[in-house]
Amino acid sequence: MNENDFVEMQALTFNIFGSSYWPQTKRRMQQMGESLVNLTDELGLDFITLQETFFNSYRDELIVKPWQERFHHHSYADQKKWWQVFGSGLTTLSRHEIIHTIFEPYKTSKVVDAFSNKGILLTRIKLPTGVELDLYNTHTQASYINPKGRNTVRERQIEQLSAFIQKESDGSRPILLMGDLNTTEDHHGYKKLVQEQGKLANESHQFKDIMRRLFPDRLLHPLTTLIKSNPLQERKLDHVFLRTGHRFEWDRENTSSELYDFDLSDHRAILSRISLQKVPAY
C-alpha cells in the first residue's frame, strides 16, 4: 500500500454558545478565534465545524478573518426568513480546498429555535491526497421543556438530514457528520442515524459514532458535552459520526477521540483523529 491508500484527518466540532449575553460575547468570540487558529497550528487540525456563530460581524472579524489569514478556506450559511433574527449559526473552517458547498434549512422549528434558520451545511473538501470528503455541519432543535422526552420537531429534522445526505452523497466519498444534534444516545433521532441507516445497505453505509465506538462503556465514559451547573443534567449532545462509503474502511486502531474544554462555552468540543484505509480492489 502507498500513502494514497490511507486517509488521516483531525476534526473538531464545537458549539460556541453564541447566544447573546453582553458584554462577554465579543471577548469570548475573540478568544475563540485565537484559540482555534492556535490549536490548529499546534495539532494540525484539518477542519472545524462550529455552531451558534450567530453574530455575523463578530464571526467575520474575530473567527473567520484570523482563520483566513492563516488557513484560507471556510464556509457559512447566513440565509434567513424575513421573521428570523439569526441565520443558521453554522460555520465550517478548513485547512484544505473547499470544492463544493450547499446549505439546506430545516423545514420545521419551534420556540426560541424558530428565530434562527437552523439547517445543514455540506462542505465538500479535497484532502492533500486527492481524496474528497463530504463534511456535514448541523445543529438541530433544542429541548426547552422536557430534554429527556421525544421531540417531534427534532425527529423530523433528522429525517430531513438523512434524506439530504442520501441525495448529496452517493457513497463514493467518506462522510463526516458533526455538530450539536441535541439528541442523546437513548433518543429515537440518534438511533435513526446510527442504526436505521445501516439497514439500507451494508456497514459502509452506516454511521458510526466515533467516540462511542471507541468508549463503549457508558457508565465509565458518559462523554458529556453539555456543561451544566448540576452535573446530573449534563448530557452527550455533540457528536462526530463517520460513514466510510464503499471505497474505504475505518481504521479503528489508529483513531482517537476526546473531549476538549475551551472554558468559553456551555459545551465541550469533540476532537477526533480519524484514520481510514482504502478497500483493496479485486
Side-chain angles (χ1 to χ4, degrees):
M1 287 190 176
N2 57 49
E3 62 177 11
N4 292 332
D5 292 327
F6 298 91
V7 174
E8 305 281 345
M9 45 194 173
Q10 296 196 73
L12 181 89
T13 189
F14 184 34
N15 182 327
I16 72 166
F17 192 26
S19 306
S20 176
Y21 63 108
W22 301 96
Q24 297 101 330
T25 304
K26 184 174 182 179
R27 175 188 58 81
R28 287 174 55 253
M29 292 186 77
Q30 181 175 11
Q31 289 180 286
M32 287 174 192
E34 294 170 354
S35 296
L36 294 173
V37 169
N38 291 338
L39 190 66
T40 301
D41 265 328
E42 177 186 349
L43 300 180
L45 297 180
D46 292 289
F47 27 78
I48 299 169
T49 58
L50 303 175
Q51 302 84 47
E52 292 200 31
T53 57
F54 288 130
F55 296 93
N56 296 352
S57 60
Y58 288 167
R59 176 204 62 203
D60 293 347
E61 176 189 356
L62 305 174
I63 293 178
V64 171
K65 183 179 178 181
W67 181 270
Q68 276 188 302
E69 290 173 349
R70 184 72 180 87
F71 303 111
H72 310 307
H73 308 289
H74 73 280
S75 179
Y76 53 72
D78 282 343
Q79 303 96 312
K80 60 183 179 182
K81 301 177 180 69
W82 67 266
W83 71 86
Q84 293 173 323
V85 179
F86 300 115
S88 71
L90 301 175
T91 298
T92 297
L93 308 174
S94 174
R95 276 202 304 135
H96 311 299
E97 180 186 3
I98 295 173
I99 59 176
H100 175 66
T101 184
I102 185 172
F103 171 72
E104 178 167 294
Y106 285 126
K107 298 175 182 177
T108 56
S109 59
K110 68 175 184 178
V111 198
V112 177
D113 282 29
F115 293 100
S116 62
N117 196 30
K118 287 185 173 182
I120 314 149
L121 178 62
L122 164 61
T123 305
R124 185 164 296 151
I125 297 172
K126 188 172 184 179
L127 299 175
T129 58
V131 173
E132 295 179 4
L133 168 82
D134 282 354
L135 178 62
Y136 290 87
N137 181 5
T138 195
H139 186 193
T140 62
Q141 174 74 42
S143 297
Y144 294 100
I145 299 175
N146 180 11
K148 294 186 178 181
R150 292 185 64 167
N151 187 306
T152 303
V153 170
R154 185 168 55 244
E155 290 176 14
R156 288 175 182 168
Q157 290 178 347
I158 289 176
E159 289 173 358
Q160 182 183 343
L161 169 63
S162 296
F164 182 70
I165 292 172
Q166 282 186 281
K167 180 181 71 173
E168 298 295 332
S169 299
D170 60 7
S172 63
R173 294 173 295 272
I175 297 172
L176 279 179
L177 167 60
M178 300 166 58
D180 177 6
L181 277 86
N182 272 312
T183 184
T184 68
E185 297 167 68
D186 298 311
H187 287 184
H188 176 72
Y190 176 95
K191 293 176 180 178
K192 182 176 182 63
L193 284 170
V194 301
Q195 295 176 3
E196 294 182 19
Q197 285 269 326
K199 297 176 183 177
L200 300 176
N202 54 31
E203 176 76 4
S204 67
H205 287 76
Q206 180 179 3
F207 275 116
K208 303 169 181 63
D209 180 342
I210 292 294
M211 183 167 271
R212 183 53 70 200
R213 287 286 189 103
L214 294 173
F215 303 100
D217 192 324
R218 291 174 58 180
L219 292 178
L220 287 176
H221 305 285
L223 305 175
T224 53
T225 57
L226 181 67
I227 301 173
K228 301 286 280 186
S229 56
N230 180 359
L232 295 178
Q233 296 180 327
E234 295 190 350
R235 299 183 299 280
K236 180 176 181 283
L237 299 180
D238 304 79
H239 307 286
V240 177
F241 295 128
L242 168 69
R243 201 168 88 185
T244 59
H246 53 72
R247 294 177 54 205
F248 293 90
E249 57 188 10
W250 181 37
D251 182 1
R252 176 174 176 164
E253 298 302 315
N254 291 302
T255 296
S256 63
S257 194
E258 62 187 285
L259 299 177
Y260 193 97
D261 193 352
F262 287 92
D263 197 28
L264 292 169
S265 173
D266 66 339
H267 282 251
R268 300 176 180 91
I270 298 180
L271 172 62
S272 299
R273 302 169 182 86
I274 301 166
S275 181
L276 306 179
Q277 184 174 313
K278 186 174 287 187
V279 176
Y282 296 101

